[in-house]
Amino acid sequence: MTHHQPRIDTSPHVSDEVRKTTCYMCACRCGINVHMKGGKVAYIEGNRDHPVNKGVLCAKGSAGIMQVNAPSRLRAPLKRVGPRGSGEFEEISWDEALQIACDWLEPIRKTDPSKLAFFTGRDQSQSFTGYWAQNFGTPNFAAHGGFCSVNMAAGGIYTMGGAFWEFGQPDWDHTKLFMLFGVAEDHDSNPIKMGIGKIKARGARVIGVNPIRSGYNAVADDWVGITPGTDGLFILSLIHELMRAGKIDLDYLARYTNAPVLVNADPNSPEHGLFLRDTDGKPTVIDRKTGKLMAFDTPGVRPDLSATHEVDGITHRPVMHLMAERYLDPQYAPEAVAERCGITPDKIRRIAAEIARVTFDEAFTLDHEWTDFRGETHKTMTGRPVSFHAMRGISAHSNGFQTARALHVLQILLGTVEVPGGFRFKPPYPKPVSAHPTPHCKSAPGQPLDGPHLGFVRGPEDLALKEDGSPARIDKAFTWENPMSAHGLMHMVISNAHAGDPYKIDTLFMYMANMSWNSSMNTRGVMEMLTDTDENGDYVIPRIIYSDAYSSEMVAYADLILPDTTYLERHDCISLLDRPICEADAAADAIRWPVIEPDRDVRGFQTVLVQQANKLKLPGFTAEDGTPRYTDYADYMVNHERKPGIGPLAGFRGNGEDVGRGAPNPAQIDRYIENGGFFVSHIPEGANYYKPWNMAYQDWAVGMGIFDKPQPYIFDLYAEPMRKFQLAAEGHGERQPPDHLRERIKSMMDPLPIWYPPFEDDSVDTEEFPVHALTQRPMAMYHSWGTQNAWLRQIHGQNPLYLPTKLWEKHGFSDGDWARVTSAHGEITVPVAHMAALNENTVWTWNAIGKRKGAWALSEDAPEATRGFLLNHLIHELLPPKGDGLRWSNSDPITGQAAWFDLRVKIEKSTAPAEAQPAFAPIKSPVGKGPDHLEWKVGK
């Protein structure tokens, strides 16, 4: 019998050419090689020369080819012709679309620019969109950080001048113990996977702290299945144990933090809790050698962690005293916190002991000489090989800001920040709070805003309030309700605009923010707000402009659609002015460029903003002779200067050889393309650790344009700006909070990290709603784009609600069962599955898998629409009524970050419905439905 072997072409024609650009399938911003055949995308692989991913590419990145061919792509500008929510549109030209937008925007700019609310999603170009909004003159601009990670970012910047993820990373080359807190696998996934692989290969240990053991936590050597919302309590217990054992780095604390800074200790003083400053306004310390009072940065000073000082009869104590009193208190002992955290006291002690052992017993030195900001030269660098990483899991709680600060304080007490083996900042961080702008909100007809919208308040004087004390912003950011809301409150924009509180708006302008579905709390309520009419039959929110690349759920609720390109059809700028691709040892930025041309009548959103600015003749976009400064976004990327010599892109400036600073270079984008779509400048050896205090780094940062002058600083274990808000609540100062907020400000804006129960725990009957409910994004998806991607849908086409063994058995569930899940706000009925590696009182599901029928060009019987679901239907932007006549925001009281993960529910077994509930009527999509069979061949 003859066997015929198949003929396999072992050397197929791979591509005609390779075009290198930057991925957009998550926020990693990996470098990719786009292989082209016949002018079309054949496949996508990682760029081995790229500083972020070094050739590694995940399923999302590879599936980018399906994004640029998705049937759900919008095809032309659209004008609504039916009622809002009907999905009835007609295609129009770009000239008409831009003119409609101009006709809506120009009158309000001339009369009251605050009538425009301009909020963007994960656009990764916020320095540009913010610049556009600033020149329009509206105070109402922010991006998605307010419902994502502002607690993490603001907590880090107020404590140590930077935070995790885009701001910093572990020292993967030297760390021996790595702890993750609340990290889902969608964030920074390729670098973290690569890093964990590197450290585990040499025997380092990984500890995962997360109620859910998936992704990174599944490969951890030790898993801490913590009760949601108690991370801060667990961290403070670790601090208690470390301080009790004396396992803290006293030399590091004295040199590089405000632990020795003197604080007014007189409760009767109007400056109680504020720093003792010298005549130049610098915080003071006692010099250990001389016993004299000195500014913290005096050359040669040896700050004393224990000495007190009396001035005019008032004793001033070092921050270290206050910390010892706070954290050595028995309330933080393992026995006191263990039950609430869902961890045994012994496990807390074991983890604290392991942290201490690795930090101090496995310390090492590098022979790198460096000079600090006080002029002292050090022959070596001390390594502390323990590093931490955290993200949304600890951030999206109503106690998230203080929890994030607690984690940063833990790192600092160990001396593991900016040292070999520890956590390291990525340029342009570290930056002290003083290097950031304060928020600006002064709006005037026909004028640009008086400064950047977002920033970091130093005290009540920086709040965004009108003269009558009312909020200046539609989202109430930077008010007494949430004073340190550095990213704004995107989740409150629609509900505030609908309520006319603090005022009514005319036009809501949003980009890539799926607010009528998975990006909103109270999803049904938001849809009703978007379509609600007043007594005259007019929409309560008069006009809605929306831009997206795809026919998402939000499209149906807009009046004007400005269709965006996909990421391979556009120019983008991943800038040092915004969210760059830096690594701890290098400054780096990147571009996207049109590796393919659109086959539809669409334009990149940033270019549309430039064109709109030109029609409106916005300052900043208009030359003195009235002509446009920029023709499109690529022109802006090259020629815009935020200040002389500093532009969106740091590489190849001037004649192409200048780095960081230099005149605009007309060939700059071409140089980026030649270099693989990125630019990188490495920090000189010896300057790459101790960045906040290392003068070699500070001088390098000045040369790069990160600073105008060196800005060394010390870490803020004690956050004095928070104490200023407490003082106001106690009755001191000219700017006073409303009476109903005084107690909250006094108790929660503590300048030393504290823990308090999540607000929902105190707002609902926890006996009726005993179970915690969470969502997290899967590694295979990041944006809601993912579940319309033909490849990624095969990984996550539907999502069960995962139940731990305890609840699974208690309710008698079996495979294939469904559950009714109820919160104080709503009810869903969904399929369930068993998961043993889960906190015993927590249920969870993947986020953004569920889709509304008709959206994303999916068929109405698609599993995403029939078995997929959202927990959003159970969450509200407001807490349940407390009986005090007020409705309190479901958010962190300090930053306003949405408290997605405070949700409490009850679970009941249910008969299986025909489809997941609630079910909504199908949306009529302007792109119709995709084909049942999606197949094509690229090239020959």
Side-chain angles (χ1 to χ4, degrees):
M1 186 175 179
T2 303
H3 293 278
H4 296 283
Q5 296 294 329
R7 290 188 177 185
I8 298 173
D9 184 356
T10 56
S11 300
H13 176 64
V14 175
S15 51
D16 303 328
E17 64 172 314
V18 176
R19 298 177 179 175
K20 299 176 185 287
T21 186
T22 306
C23 189
Y24 198 4
M25 296 299 287
C26 82
C28 282
R29 288 78 53 85
C30 294
I32 53 175
N33 298 337
V34 183
H35 288 257
M36 308 294 296
K37 279 186 183 180
K40 295 184 177 182
V41 179
Y43 80 99
I44 298 171
E45 66 176 353
N47 178 356
R48 296 189 179 193
D49 298 321
H50 199 273
V52 171
N53 60 313
K54 300 175 177 61
V56 173
L57 199 63
C58 67
K60 295 189 298 291
S62 299
I65 188 172
M66 306 308 287
Q67 292 296 135
V68 301
N69 291 288
S72 61
R73 291 169 299 158
L74 296 169
R75 297 167 187 160
L78 300 167
K79 179 174 68 174
R80 180 177 57 80
V81 294
R84 259 196 217 154
S86 68
E88 295 176 10
F89 293 92
E90 67 176 15
E91 292 189 358
I92 57 176
S93 68
W94 274 105
D95 285 344
E96 184 178 355
L98 291 173
Q99 190 59 51
I100 290 172
C102 186
D103 290 344
W104 292 352
L105 296 176
E106 191 165 32
I108 60 177
R109 180 172 178 267
K110 289 180 177 178
T111 57
D112 183 358
S114 69
K115 295 293 186 182
L116 169 65
F118 178 51
F119 285 76
T120 68
R122 294 175 177 84
D123 62 289
Q124 301 180 8
S125 60
Q126 290 158 31
S127 67
F128 168 74
T129 50
Y131 184 74
W132 187 94
Q134 185 179 333
N135 280 281
F136 184 91
T138 179
N140 295 316
F141 165 80
H144 79 289
F147 59 53
C148 178
S149 60
V150 67
N151 278 334
M152 186 57 61
I157 288 170
Y158 275 109
T159 310
M160 59 182 190
F164 299 114
W165 189 27
E166 290 161 342
F167 303 102
Q169 66 186 86
D171 185 353
W172 298 115
D173 291 327
H174 296 105
T175 198
K176 296 180 180 179
L177 177 63
F178 178 45
M179 285 189 73
L180 302 98
F181 290 79
V183 182
E185 48 265 37
D186 65 314
H187 276 105
D188 208 22
S189 60
N190 285 336
I192 290 180
K193 285 181 288 187
M194 294 158 61
I196 289 176
K198 177 184 284 189
I199 65 174
K200 284 180 77 73
R202 61 167 194 270
R205 274 176 49 80
V206 178
I207 300 176
V209 182
N210 197 314
I212 305 159
R213 190 168 198 183
S214 63
Y216 312 131
N217 295 282
V219 299
D221 300 285
D222 194 0
W223 171 58
V224 181
I226 198 164
T227 300
T230 65
D231 304 80
L233 193 57
F234 169 55
I235 293 164
L236 294 178
S237 189
L238 294 176
I239 289 173
H240 171 90
E241 286 295 286
L242 291 164
M243 291 185 74
R244 195 173 63 85
K247 294 295 186 178
I248 57 177
D249 191 334
L250 295 173
D251 183 65
Y252 183 97
L253 292 169
R255 290 177 183 273
Y256 308 129
T257 81
N258 68 6
V261 168
L262 295 166
V263 178
N264 184 315
D266 183 0
N268 298 316
S269 169
E271 295 184 344
H272 177 222
L274 300 184
F275 295 150
L276 178 63
R277 297 176 181 270
D278 67 6
T279 54
D280 293 326
K282 293 182 178 181
T284 57
V285 299
I286 296 297
D287 181 33
R288 203 164 61 236
K289 295 178 298 183
T290 66
K292 292 183 177 180
L293 187 70
M294 295 184 178
F296 76 94
D297 60 351
T298 304
V301 70
R302 287 285 186 273
D304 195 322
L305 288 171
S306 61
T308 61
H309 184 73
E310 188 171 305
V311 179
D312 297 330
I314 295 177
T315 298
H316 294 78
R317 305 168 64 199
V319 166
M320 197 67 204
H321 279 202
L322 308 181
M323 294 189 66
E325 287 179 359
R326 170 70 54 82
Y327 301 124
L328 289 175
D329 190 292
Q331 69 173 307
Y332 297 115
E335 288 83 3
V337 308
E339 183 177 355
R340 184 143 208 169
C341 294
I343 311 167
T344 65
D346 181 61
K347 185 152 194 171
I348 296 173
R349 286 199 176 86
R350 281 191 286 109
I351 291 173
E354 184 174 7
I355 291 171
R357 180 186 60 77
V358 178
T359 301
F360 298 105
D361 296 353
E362 299 193 31
F364 61 98
T365 58
L366 298 180
D367 292 326
H368 290 322
E369 184 175 289
W370 67 286
T371 301
D372 70 23
F373 68 110
R374 296 186 179 100
E376 182 176 349
T377 298
H378 306 261
K379 297 297 184 182
T380 61
M381 295 178 171
T382 299
R384 303 284 188 205
V386 172
S387 56
F388 299 87
H389 189 74
M391 205 52 219
R392 189 189 295 123
I394 72 168
S395 184
H397 292 283
S398 50
N399 57 23
F401 177 82
Q402 290 284 23
T403 293
R405 286 207 71 229
L407 183 53
H408 298 314
V409 166
L410 171 61
Q411 296 185 94
I412 294 166
L413 286 171
L414 295 166
T416 64
V417 179
E418 262 308 312
V419 301
F423 170 82
R424 305 178 66 197
F425 292 113
K426 301 178 184 179
Y429 295 89
K431 286 184 181 181
V433 170
S434 59
H436 291 270
T438 55
H440 293 76
C441 63
K442 288 186 173 58
S443 178
Q447 299 296 314
L449 202 67
D450 60 331
H453 300 82
L454 306 177
F456 293 83
V457 300
R458 307 338 183 218
E461 66 276 10
D462 295 326
L463 292 178
L465 301 174
K466 295 182 179 180
E467 290 186 5
D468 63 1
S470 66
R473 293 174 51 104
I474 189 66
D475 59 356
K476 300 186 182 180
F478 309 110
T479 65
W480 294 107
E481 291 186 31
N482 19 252
M484 293 177 160
S485 40
H487 289 176
L489 281 73
M490 189 168 179
H491 56 291
M492 295 304 298
V493 173
I494 291 172
S495 57
N496 288 358
H498 177 263
D501 178 19
Y503 48 78
K504 291 185 177 295
I505 64 167
D506 179 275
T507 300
L508 175 64
F509 189 179
M510 289 192 150
Y511 172 51
M512 215 173 74
N514 199 13
M515 299 304 291
S516 72
W517 196 245
N518 65 283
S519 289
S520 69
M521 300 165 132
N522 183 20
T523 303
R524 183 192 296 272
V526 168
M527 289 188 280
E528 292 171 353
M529 294 175 200
L530 294 172
T531 56
D532 193 21
T533 56
D534 61 20
E535 62 275 9
N536 298 319
D538 299 321
Y539 287 114
V540 174
I541 301 176
R543 298 180 179 91
I544 300 175
I545 305 173
Y546 184 58
S547 179
D548 204 325
Y550 305 98
S551 183
S552 69
E553 285 88 353
M554 183 62 196
V555 166
Y557 292 89
D559 306 311
L560 178 66
I561 301 293
L562 306 175
D564 192 19
T565 61
T566 68
Y567 72 101
L568 296 184
E569 301 168 321
R570 63 183 300 118
H571 281 99
D572 262 332
C573 179
I574 300 105
S575 169
L576 280 170
L577 300 179
D578 199 347
R579 299 166 67 185
I581 60 164
C582 300
E583 296 296 298
D585 289 314
D589 58 15
I591 66 165
R592 297 186 187 94
W593 58 284
V595 300
I596 54 174
E597 291 297 322
D599 57 0
R600 310 160 321 284
D601 191 14
V602 298
R603 298 179 184 179
F605 176 67
Q606 290 83 357
T607 285
V608 170
L609 283 184
V610 171
Q611 294 169 343
Q612 195 67 61
N614 293 343
K615 286 182 73 69
L616 293 167
K617 293 190 178 298
L618 297 186
F621 291 85
T622 306
E624 291 182 4
D625 63 0
T627 59
R629 289 185 184 272
Y630 317 108
T631 56
D632 55 20
Y633 189 45
D635 190 4
Y636 174 93
M637 287 163 56
V638 170
N639 291 305
H640 175 69
E641 290 182 284
R642 194 53 57 98
K643 50 189 173 184
I646 306 293
L649 293 171
F652 314 111
R653 299 191 67 80
N655 62 1
E657 304 304 317
D658 292 342
V659 172
R661 298 177 182 269
N665 172 16
Q668 188 179 35
I669 288 180
D670 291 336
R671 290 294 304 275
Y672 270 83
I673 293 171
E674 292 166 9
N675 198 56
F678 68 92
F679 159 79
V680 62
S681 175
H682 288 90
I683 299 170
E685 188 173 1
N688 50 353
Y689 290 104
Y690 296 94
K691 294 186 186 85
W693 322 292
N694 188 331
M695 291 312 296
Y697 173 80
Q698 293 286 320
D699 291 340
W700 175 85
V702 171
M704 277 296 300
I706 293 170
F707 299 137
D708 288 334
K709 61 181 181 180
Q711 297 200 35
Y713 64 99
I714 53 177
F715 290 161
D716 289 313
L717 297 165
Y718 181 98
E720 189 185 39
M722 300 181 71
R723 178 60 194 151
K724 292 179 180 179
F725 284 100
Q726 284 186 318
L727 281 171
E730 292 166 9
H732 300 287
E734 294 183 5
R735 189 169 257 190
Q736 292 285 296
D739 288 343
H740 72 278
L741 291 174
R742 287 186 189 275
E743 289 305 315
R744 185 168 90 163
I745 292 168
K746 283 190 281 187
S747 63
M748 291 171 183
M749 294 200 69
D750 197 300
L752 288 176
I754 59 171
W755 183 85
Y756 50 87
F759 286 171
E760 187 149 335
D761 285 7
D762 290 333
S763 300
V764 304
D765 182 346
T766 54
E767 290 189 5
E768 182 182 1
F769 302 106
V771 177
H772 299 268
L774 302 175
T775 61
Q776 66 177 26
R777 291 190 186 276
M779 195 174 289
M781 292 178 191
Y782 173 68
H783 196 275
S784 52
W785 291 347
T787 42
Q788 53 104 36
N789 184 298
W791 288 356
L792 297 178
R793 289 182 67 205
Q794 298 175 60
I795 303 173
H796 296 285
Q798 60 190 47
N799 57 311
L801 183 72
Y802 291 101
L803 273 62
T805 302
K806 176 182 172 182
L807 293 177
W808 185 263
E809 293 178 348
K810 174 183 176 181
H811 294 284
F813 283 110
S814 302
D815 288 343
D817 282 348
W818 289 61
R820 181 182 299 106
V821 187
T822 310
S823 73
H825 172 63
E827 178 185 293
I828 59 177
T829 304
V830 298
V832 294
H834 177 216
M835 179 176 177
L838 181 57
N839 175 277
E840 66 173 15
N841 204 39
T842 299
V843 298
W844 75 280
T845 192
W846 297 119
N847 186 27
I849 304 299
K851 293 285 180 276
R852 185 166 172 185
K853 293 178 181 179
W856 303 98
L858 297 174
S859 63
E860 291 181 11
D861 61 353
E864 292 88 348
T866 58
R867 294 177 64 87
F869 64 92
L870 304 175
L871 282 187
N872 305 54
H873 301 301
L874 302 179
I875 308 171
H876 202 286
E877 73 272 10
L878 300 175
L879 292 168
K882 292 182 177 181
D884 57 5
L886 303 171
R887 288 302 301 274
W888 297 85
S889 175
N890 186 18
S891 58
D892 189 290
I894 299 169
T895 66
Q897 175 168 344
W900 295 96
F901 294 169
D902 285 356
L903 179 63
R904 300 294 292 258
V905 300
K906 64 180 176 182
I907 308 289
E908 303 167 272
K909 195 171 182 179
S910 171
T911 56
E915 56 190 22
Q917 298 295 314
F920 295 88
I923 292 174
K924 182 179 180 182
S925 170
V927 301
K929 297 176 184 175
D932 292 333
H933 186 69
L934 192 64
E935 180 181 358
W936 68 91
K937 183 174 178 62
V938 177
K940 297 179 181 178

